Amino acid sequence: QVQLVQSGAEVKKPGASVKVSCKASGYTFTGYYMHWVRQAPGQGLEWMGWINPNSGGTNYAQKFQGWVTMTRDTSISTAYMELSRLRSDDTAVYYCARGENDSSGYYYLDYWGQGTLVTVSS
Amino acid sequence: DIQMTQSPSSLSASVGDRVTITCRASQSISSYLNWYQQKPGKAPKLLIYAASSLQSGVPSRFSGSGSGTDFTLTISSLQPEDFATYYCQQSYSTPPTFGPGTKVDIK
């Protein structure tokens, strides 16, 4: 069965960086884009971007360009999201989610990781 | 960016009730609309994609309809496990954007 297992909670100081991992299993890792979505406490969902695990190509939301980096290691079926220059308002749960494109061209996020809480505090 | 709105922002309902949640896009998105359910402390779960297609394993009491700018999610008979927050999301253009959510709680 498809599983996305994320790394554990992190506590960081303002200005630091954080790198969250997302290990995929149960499907061909290079066959599906991996998206990252975050959710601040008590707030809604915010899309950050995606990585194509096959090519390494990325597409970041404009808000995050210049301070998010998405990478992957195909040898261990793992995607990574690194956010730099952290601020207190980056405190959120960060999710990875598999992007599925069906034959009609529709795409959706069909499997999600369990989430990683990143707390930014001095 | 395409803006998504949802109404109501919250509702109280009883087990067995029929519940309808509305989602509206700021421009036409054809049928590129997905619905997710999120329970406290859990990741979102895909319910409906392409406006009306039921994700595998999702109970048939959930249904979606609409196209263009106006969409609805209907729960035909609310069950105890359905108390959660529901989000719509457009996948018509990048960035994909989510609605603010509708919280369904127990009356």
Side-chain angles (χ1 to χ4, degrees):
Chain A
Q1 72 284 18
V2 173
Q3 279 195 303
L4 301 175
V5 178
Q6 298 183 223
S7 49
E10 303 261 14
V11 179
K12 296 291 183 181
K13 293 192 182 301
S17 297
V18 68
K19 190 171 186 177
V20 178
S21 67
C22 171
K23 182 170 177 60
S25 62
Y27 72 99
T28 302
F29 178 64
T30 52
Y32 298 81
Y33 286 20
M34 191 69 78
H35 297 246
W36 291 88
V37 176
R38 77 176 184 178
Q39 186 171 39
Q43 302 301 308
L45 301 165
E46 181 177 33
W47 181 79
M48 300 178 69
W50 55 249
I51 182 168
N52 177 346
N54 188 42
S55 66
T58 55
N59 186 1
Y60 304 142
Q62 188 170 13
K63 171 179 179 176
F64 296 99
Q65 287 178 6
W67 58 300
V68 70
T69 305
M70 296 178 189
T71 57
R72 91 293 190 216
D73 184 339
T74 57
S75 69
I76 55 172
S77 299
T78 299
Y80 302 93
M81 186 283 301
E82 183 171 20
L83 199 59
S84 61
R85 305 191 303 276
L86 290 167
R87 309 184 321 183
S88 58
D89 60 0
D90 293 317
T91 294
V93 176
Y94 290 77
Y95 294 101
C96 59
R98 190 181 84 162
E100 164 70 278
N101 279 276
D102 74 6
S103 57
S104 300
Y106 295 102
Y107 91 85
Y108 38 90
L109 305 178
D110 61 351
Y111 290 93
W112 294 62
Q114 83 276 20
T116 296
L117 175 62
V118 176
T119 302
V120 183
S121 173
S122 54
Chain B
D1 298 1
I2 296 176
Q3 306 303 313
M4 307 300 293
T5 57
Q6 289 181 234
S7 61
S9 56
S10 65
L11 65 91
S12 295
S14 301
V15 172
D17 283 354
R18 181 181 182 87
V19 170
T20 298
I21 298 169
T22 297
C23 175
R24 176 166 289 175
S26 60
Q27 65 182 75
S28 177
I29 58 171
S30 184
S31 296
Y32 291 84
L33 192 283
N34 308 315
W35 289 98
Y36 301 87
Q37 175 195 66
Q38 186 179 34
K39 297 181 180 179
K42 300 295 186 181
K45 172 188 174 183
L46 177 68
L47 298 177
I48 302 282
Y49 63 94
S52 60
S53 296
L54 193 67
Q55 172 69 349
S56 176
V58 174
S60 59
R61 63 180 179 273
F62 291 93
S63 64
S65 64
S67 66
T69 60
D70 295 316
F71 302 86
T72 58
L73 172 70
T74 300
I75 309 172
S76 61
S77 177
L78 198 66
Q79 297 302 299
E81 60 267 30
D82 301 336
F83 292 97
T85 300
Y86 294 85
Y87 294 94
C88 61
Q89 177 233 335
Q90 65 82 16
S91 59
Y92 180 81
S93 66
T94 299
T97 44
F98 293 87
T102 295
K103 184 177 181 180
V104 177
D105 60 22
I106 301 172
K107 182 182 284 185

